[in-house]
């Protein structure tokens, strides 16, 4: 009996003794009050009591299984694993496979020694030739251990805190081991033992499932190998092998759904039996085809991550970001975390370059600005006489400012910008919004540092220096566009705001086009060298993209203005408040403290002026249109 | 009776409820409606061999209680 012996039944006593209490009176132990009582979980309330459920059906982990049933179980193990990667808790996914909780029961020694004859013989006896017990004690055991080890290795990567626990992934282990203390090499040896048996066993009848089981174990083995290898070492052969395994599995037989007795090995309500303080909903497993696609996507992305290591081109990194992937199974937290570790591990970019490479490469690719130009010029040339002196030592003060600017741009802004794309979209949007003021300050500092040079030795250096603030402004405008568009993606805007948001987007893209024009004109004055040609090509592509996007934004603006999706009447005073709330990032105090005005900020009077201009356009006087704003 | 009940506060109680679950924990509080609050409670299920599951601080409404025992 739980709690042991020595308990006395006081049910009747409790009933009688509380009759003498006053209504509302509490009897409590010392130090315990009503406030403490309020956080108690109410038993039998389904919102709080995680233990309410029918007991699970009986399950014997050593029940003999057919080869097709073991195949089916291994498929479920991959499905549960992918579900965990998509954001569900372990208690909703991996732990629902009851073999996870009975590893000791299925790990039996294969042989035992007869103490009379001293001959060894098989430990297990099974008369069912269609269901050899090795399928459980070797094959399934290896598969389950492999599953837990893969989860453990992924857990360790995610525990580095690149992403947010509770938002991107669920770290809670609910008191169940993920084989943390078991070496991966031991688990690989279990898989090897199972593979050897599958290939040679005479007790396994000639079965079409033999190849299926072998392929699934091979996939698990290569999965562990890839997780173990650091990203610094190329493992393309291993990834290629994983790809081939998956394709063989997909091309092979699909195991049928097994009978109920075998289905009892899955308990979707297992969380109600684990140490859990909040009821979790039952996760629905994705179809197996989606699981294999997810693993294929996993392999592809792994290749992409390895390919960017040591790349010399920054925009190649952006091309492979998959930030706009909309299926959670194809953009798992693990790979995003690996990507962040690869991009910046605290000391190097892409495991190869120093952090200063980032700013140099950005300036070179966008505007053919030579590396280290800021600090080089600061070292060589004195300040203009009529400008304030930064420090008593003129050149070292200038150097310090230039260094400070370069460091800020690199580590605080550029790293955060690239890394933001590996976060989930709402968090990425927040990070980008919070960075806008810093970008503006960076732009201002760059303009100030460059203005301080007394004399420039050559036109080329002068042109290159003048392009630095333009590059920074170009990046900032890119970020603002990303913020506006992600707001549509995340459905943040009310319908009556759509016209206004597209209007602002078209304004931002107009500014972007203007910045690109200025960069182009400056570059066209330079000598025709490779860097300049590459930068001009980049700008040309960006111009086409920006003009196209601006035309789309203008079209959407006109359409939603003429045919508003919502007929909400907005008072002018309310419109001001709504505008400042929608663009609250543009109204924070830091901007008023900066010496330079933010030319790209949203301005309500400009929006109102644009609306007024539409009123004189004939189509807006059409009786069928309904403009939802009262004009001032 | 109330004084006697007060003296049993802070002792280990074992509460059995209608769905056969058993909770063992320290009695922290009760009221006239006989709602029982246990702290540091473990939940046990009849017929399951494994150890109890820690559930922390729980409130068991009297309507679900089949038996209340004190150590």
């Amino acid at each position: 009996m739980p709690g042991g012996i020595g308990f006395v039944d006081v049910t009747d006593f409790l009933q009688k003794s509380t009759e003498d209490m006053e209504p509302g009176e509490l009897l409590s132990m010392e130090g315990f009050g009503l406030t403490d009582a309020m956080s108690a979980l109410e038993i039998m309330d389904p919102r709080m009591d995680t233990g309410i459920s029918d007991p699970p059906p009986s399950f014997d982990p050593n029940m003999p299984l057919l080869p097709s049933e073991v195949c089916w179980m291994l498929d479920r193990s991959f499905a549960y694993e992918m579900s965990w990667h998509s954001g569900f808790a372990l208690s909703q996914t991996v732990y629902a496979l009851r073999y996870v909780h009975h590893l000791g029961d299925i790990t039996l020694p294969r042989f035992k020694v007869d103490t009379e004859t001293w001959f060894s013989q098989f430990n297990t006896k099974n008369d069912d030739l269609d269901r050899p017990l090795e399928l459980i004690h070797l094959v399934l055991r290896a598969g389950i251990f492999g599953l837990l080890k893969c989860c453990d290795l992924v857990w360790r990567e995610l525990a580095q805190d690149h992403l947010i626990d509770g938002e991107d992934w669920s770290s809670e282990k609910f008191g169940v081991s993920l084989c943390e203390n078991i070496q991966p090499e031991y688990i690989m040896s279990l898989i090897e033992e199972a593979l050897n048996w599958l290939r040679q066993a005479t007790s396994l009848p000639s079965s079409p499932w033999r190849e299926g089981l072998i392929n699934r174990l091979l996939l698990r083995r290569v999965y562990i190998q890839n997780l173990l290898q650091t990203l610094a070492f190329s493992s393309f052969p291993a990834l290629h092998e994983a790809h081939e395994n998956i394709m063989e599995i997909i091309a092979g037989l699909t195991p049928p759904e097994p009978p109920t007795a075998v289905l009892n090995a899955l308990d979707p309500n297992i969380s109600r039996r684990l140490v859990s303080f909040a009821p979790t909903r039952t996760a629905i497993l994705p179809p197996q085809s989606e699981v294999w696609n997810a693993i294929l996507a996993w392999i592809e992305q792994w290749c992409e991550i390895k390919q960017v290591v040591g790349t010399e081109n920054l925009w190649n990194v952006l091309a492979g970001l998959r930030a706009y992937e909309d299926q959670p199974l194809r953009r798992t937290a693990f790979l995003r975390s690996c990507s962040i570790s690869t991009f910046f591990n605290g000391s190097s970019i892409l495991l190869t370059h120093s952090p200063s490479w980032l700013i140099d490469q950005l300036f070179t690719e966008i505007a053919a600005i030579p590396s280290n130009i800021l600090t080089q010029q600061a070292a060589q040339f004195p300040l203009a006489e009529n400008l304030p002196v930064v420090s008593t030592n003129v050149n070292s003060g200038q150097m310090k400012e230039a260094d400070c600017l370069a460091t800020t741009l690199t580590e605080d802004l550029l790293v955060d910008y690239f890394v933001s794309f590996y976060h989930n979209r709402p968090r990425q949007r927040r990070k980008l919004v919070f960075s806008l003021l810093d970008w503006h300050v960076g732009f201002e500092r760059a303009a100030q540092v460059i203005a301080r040079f007394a004399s420039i030795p050559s036109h080329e250096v002068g042109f290159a220096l003048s392009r630095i603030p333009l590059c920074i402004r170009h990046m900032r405008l890119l970020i603002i566009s990303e913020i506006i568009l992600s707001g549509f993606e995340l459905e943040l805007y009310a319908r009556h705001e759509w016209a206004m948001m597209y209007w602002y987007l078209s304004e931002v893209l107009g500014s972007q086009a203007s910045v690109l024009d200025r960069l182009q004109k400056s570059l066209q004055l330079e000598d025709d060298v490779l860097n300049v040609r590459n930068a001009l090509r980049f700008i040309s592509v960006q111009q086409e993209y920006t003009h196209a996007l601006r035309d789309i934004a203008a079209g959407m603006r006109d359409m939603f203005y003429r045919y508003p999706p919502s007929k909400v009447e907005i008072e002018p005073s309310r419109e001001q408040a709504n505008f400042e709330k929608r663009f609250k990032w543009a109204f924070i105090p830091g901007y008023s403290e900066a010496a330079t005005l933010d030319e790209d900020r949203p301005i309500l009077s400009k929006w109102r002026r644009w609306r007024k201009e539409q009123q004189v356009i004939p189509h807006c006087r059409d009786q069928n249109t309904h403009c939802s704003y009262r004009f001032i | 009776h109330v004084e006697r009940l007060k003296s049993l506060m802070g002792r280990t109680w074992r509460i059995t409820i209608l769905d056969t679950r058993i909770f063992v924990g320290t009695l922290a509080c009760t009221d006239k409606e006989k709602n029982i609050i246990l702290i540091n409670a473990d939940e046990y299920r009849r017929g399951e061999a494994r150890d109890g599951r820690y559930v922390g601080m729980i409130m068991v409404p009297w309507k679900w209680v089949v038996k209340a025992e004190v150590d």
Side-chain angles (χ1 to χ4, degrees):
Chain A
M1 212 29 195
I5 59 173
F7 279 84
V8 175
D9 190 344
V10 293
T11 314
D12 292 336
F13 166 73
L14 184 61
Q15 188 116 15
K16 286 193 190 114
S17 56
T18 50
E19 280 168 13
D20 298 335
M21 287 171 68
E22 297 295 324
E25 184 186 352
L26 275 182
L27 268 185
S28 58
M29 67 184 211
E30 201 169 324
F32 190 91
L34 184 60
T35 317
D36 302 307
M38 287 172 69
S39 49
L41 303 173
E42 184 176 333
I43 295 302
M44 297 302 277
D45 182 339
R47 292 166 300 176
M48 289 186 263
D49 185 359
T50 60
I52 296 179
S53 68
D54 295 329
S58 63
F59 165 64
D60 175 14
N62 287 304
M63 180 181 70
L65 297 176
L66 291 169
S68 62
E69 290 165 352
V70 176
C71 242
W72 185 87
M73 210 60 72
L74 292 177
D75 284 358
R76 296 289 84 69
S77 73
F78 284 107
Y80 278 130
E81 186 182 7
M82 288 298 120
S83 282
W84 177 54
H85 288 313
S86 70
F88 288 105
L90 285 165
S91 64
Q92 296 169 288
T93 54
V94 174
Y95 294 164
L97 196 53
R98 292 170 83 176
Y99 286 105
V100 164
H101 310 281
H102 294 272
L103 281 174
D105 297 326
I106 62 174
T107 305
L108 296 178
R110 285 186 70 197
F111 302 101
K112 64 180 180 185
V113 176
D114 186 330
T115 52
E116 288 186 6
T117 64
W118 295 106
F119 285 135
S120 62
Q121 56 189 329
F122 283 113
N123 191 21
T124 53
K125 220 175 165 186
N126 184 25
D127 296 326
D128 186 346
L129 294 178
D130 290 336
R131 296 174 169 81
L133 283 173
E134 283 85 352
L135 282 174
I136 306 292
H137 300 143
L138 290 182
V139 179
L140 191 57
R141 176 189 71 163
I144 302 299
F145 267 109
L147 162 70
L148 292 177
K149 196 42 147 180
C150 285
C151 291
D152 176 45
L153 293 171
V154 166
W155 195 98
R156 291 178 201 208
E157 165 63 34
L158 289 170
Q160 293 188 52
D161 281 342
H162 294 311
L163 301 176
I164 312 295
D165 180 13
E167 193 175 289
D168 296 295
W169 72 296
S170 172
S171 67
E172 180 58 53
K173 292 187 188 178
F174 304 94
V176 178
S177 168
L178 287 179
C179 298
E180 295 88 344
N181 295 331
I182 299 181
Q183 294 297 320
E185 291 75 21
Y186 172 71
I187 292 175
M188 304 275 265
S189 72
L190 295 182
I191 295 176
E192 204 56 43
E193 189 184 358
L195 284 168
N196 287 338
W197 178 81
L198 281 168
R199 287 173 182 135
Q200 298 161 16
T202 52
S203 56
L204 181 68
S206 56
S207 161
W209 299 103
R210 187 196 296 261
E211 281 308 309
L213 288 169
I214 288 174
N215 284 327
R216 282 157 175 82
L217 285 183
L218 285 174
L219 177 63
R220 182 58 73 188
R221 184 179 69 179
V222 76
Y223 205 144
I224 296 176
Q225 282 168 343
N226 277 303
L227 285 171
L228 280 177
Q229 285 177 339
T230 63
L231 293 169
F233 299 100
S234 172
S235 60
F236 286 110
L239 288 171
H240 180 68
E241 187 187 338
H243 188 267
E244 285 198 344
N245 290 140
I246 287 275
M247 298 313 289
E248 298 261 353
I249 293 171
I250 293 172
L253 294 171
T254 303
E257 185 150 312
T260 309
V262 177
L263 288 177
N264 291 344
L266 308 183
D267 180 10
N269 293 320
I270 190 71
S271 64
R272 297 181 185 277
R273 285 165 192 79
L274 299 173
V275 179
S276 164
F277 296 103
T280 48
R281 62 188 171 93
T282 306
I284 299 173
L285 275 187
Q288 198 62 30
S289 56
E290 267 185 47
V291 175
W292 300 134
N293 282 338
I295 298 180
L296 273 174
W298 179 291
I299 294 167
E300 284 164 20
Q301 287 170 56
W302 225 323
C303 284
E304 286 164 13
I305 293 171
K306 290 179 189 296
Q307 276 165 354
V308 296
V309 172
T311 188
E312 294 296 330
N313 189 311
L314 201 54
W315 300 106
N316 276 348
V317 177
L318 270 180
L321 282 175
R322 290 180 176 254
Y324 310 109
E325 190 82 67
D326 59 351
Q327 297 174 38
L329 279 182
R330 293 184 63 88
R331 195 165 182 257
T332 62
F334 170 71
L335 285 167
R336 292 191 280 128
S337 177
C338 278
S339 302
I340 294 174
S341 302
T342 306
F343 185 80
F344 184 58
N345 61 5
S347 58
S348 63
I349 301 290
L350 300 174
L351 302 178
T352 313
H353 308 291
S354 67
S356 61
W357 173 88
L358 202 59
I359 186 81
D360 288 340
Q361 198 63 21
L362 184 84
F363 284 164
T364 303
E365 287 182 22
I366 294 179
I369 300 170
S371 304
N372 296 324
I373 189 172
L374 270 179
T375 43
Q376 278 170 9
Q377 295 308 311
Q380 287 175 36
F381 297 101
L383 283 175
E385 286 177 2
N386 58 342
L387 287 177
V389 174
V390 175
S391 77
T392 51
N393 183 334
V394 165
N395 278 348
S396 74
Q398 186 81 335
M399 287 270 305
K400 200 170 158 189
E401 273 205 35
D403 274 340
C404 183
L405 172 65
T407 308
T408 304
L409 284 175
T410 304
E411 293 188 15
D412 294 352
L413 294 179
L414 277 175
V415 169
D416 285 352
Y417 171 72
F418 281 94
V419 165
S420 75
F421 283 90
Y422 297 117
H423 284 277
N424 59 69
R425 288 290 271 165
R427 183 156 293 275
Q428 182 203 7
R429 189 174 191 273
R430 274 196 294 280
K431 283 180 170 297
L432 292 178
V433 163
F434 292 145
S435 73
L436 283 175
L437 176 59
D438 291 334
W439 278 100
H440 177 67
V441 169
F443 167 78
E444 182 180 67
R445 259 197 217 147
Q448 285 172 349
V449 166
I450 286 153
R452 286 197 172 129
F453 291 124
S455 61
I456 306 297
S458 67
H459 289 304
E460 290 82 9
V461 172
F463 291 148
L465 285 174
S466 67
R467 290 198 292 271
I468 291 177
L470 287 176
C471 278
I472 299 172
R473 192 170 166 210
H474 164 74
M475 287 301 298
R476 188 166 184 268
L477 287 166
L478 267 184
I479 292 172
I480 297 176
S481 303
E482 184 73 36
I483 289 170
I484 299 170
L485 288 169
S486 67
F488 280 106
E489 185 187 326
L490 298 168
E491 297 180 12
L492 295 180
Y493 309 134
R495 286 167 178 256
H496 65 267
E497 293 177 315
W498 289 358
M500 178 183 75
M501 297 313 297
Y502 278 115
W503 163 81
Y504 181 52
L505 178 62
S506 66
E507 295 284 301
V508 168
L509 291 168
S511 299
Q512 183 74 290
S514 165
V515 166
L516 289 168
D517 282 345
R518 288 167 64 184
L519 280 169
Q520 185 182 49
K521 283 183 180 135
S522 173
L523 279 166
Q524 283 166 346
L525 297 171
E526 300 264 11
D527 294 334
D528 185 22
V529 293
L530 181 64
N531 267 356
V532 172
R533 283 201 297 274
N534 287 341
L536 279 169
R537 198 161 36 236
F538 171 83
I539 288 173
S540 170
V541 169
Q542 285 292 306
Q543 281 172 322
E544 279 188 42
Y545 173 69
T546 302
H547 288 141
L549 203 56
R550 187 180 58 176
D551 290 343
I552 293 171
M556 298 295 277
R557 169 202 66 196
D558 293 344
M559 181 180 75
F560 286 126
Y561 180 73
R562 188 179 174 191
Y563 303 105
S566 165
K567 295 188 184 347
V568 172
E569 293 279 340
I570 309 288
E571 293 288 338
S573 55
R574 185 73 217 153
E575 188 188 20
Q576 174 79 32
N578 285 354
F579 192 87
E580 287 178 12
K581 186 175 158 230
R582 175 55 63 209
F583 296 111
K584 58 185 173 210
W585 55 264
F587 294 94
I588 56 180
Y591 286 101
S592 56
E593 289 159 14
T596 309
L597 191 63
D598 175 13
E599 291 178 40
D600 305 314
R601 72 196 186 286
I603 303 174
L604 178 59
S605 58
K606 282 179 83 174
W607 163 234
R608 285 171 171 165
R609 193 161 52 243
W610 182 85
R611 288 200 320 249
K612 231 175 189 172
E613 286 165 5
Q614 304 312 303
Q615 286 304 301
V616 303
I617 298 171
H619 71 257
C620 258
R621 285 188 256 130
D622 185 332
Q623 288 181 359
N624 288 331
T625 64
H626 177 98
C627 292
S628 63
Y629 295 90
R630 293 197 195 170
F631 294 101
I632 54 172
Chain B
H1 282 136
V2 175
E3 285 305 313
R4 175 80 181 116
L5 179 58
K6 200 166 185 177
S7 70
L8 297 177
M9 291 287 151
R11 300 272 289 268
T12 302
W13 283 58
R14 183 166 67 199
I15 308 292
T16 306
I17 63 172
L18 274 173
D19 69 353
T20 75
R21 281 185 288 162
I22 295 170
F23 296 94
V24 178
T26 305
L27 180 66
C29 186
T30 189
D31 60 5
K32 187 172 173 65
E33 285 75 32
K34 298 179 281 292
N35 295 312
I36 296 168
I37 293 183
L38 300 179
I39 57 174
N40 297 324
D42 288 315
E43 173 200 74
Y44 298 88
R45 290 180 173 273
R46 258 189 211 285
E48 284 193 8
R50 63 170 188 86
D51 296 334
R53 177 176 81 124
Y54 178 76
V55 289
M57 180 161 57
I58 57 170
M59 191 275 282
V60 188
W62 183 249
K63 63 183 178 185
W64 302 116
V65 176
V66 168
K67 194 193 307 187
E69 300 164 282
V70 65
D71 188 5

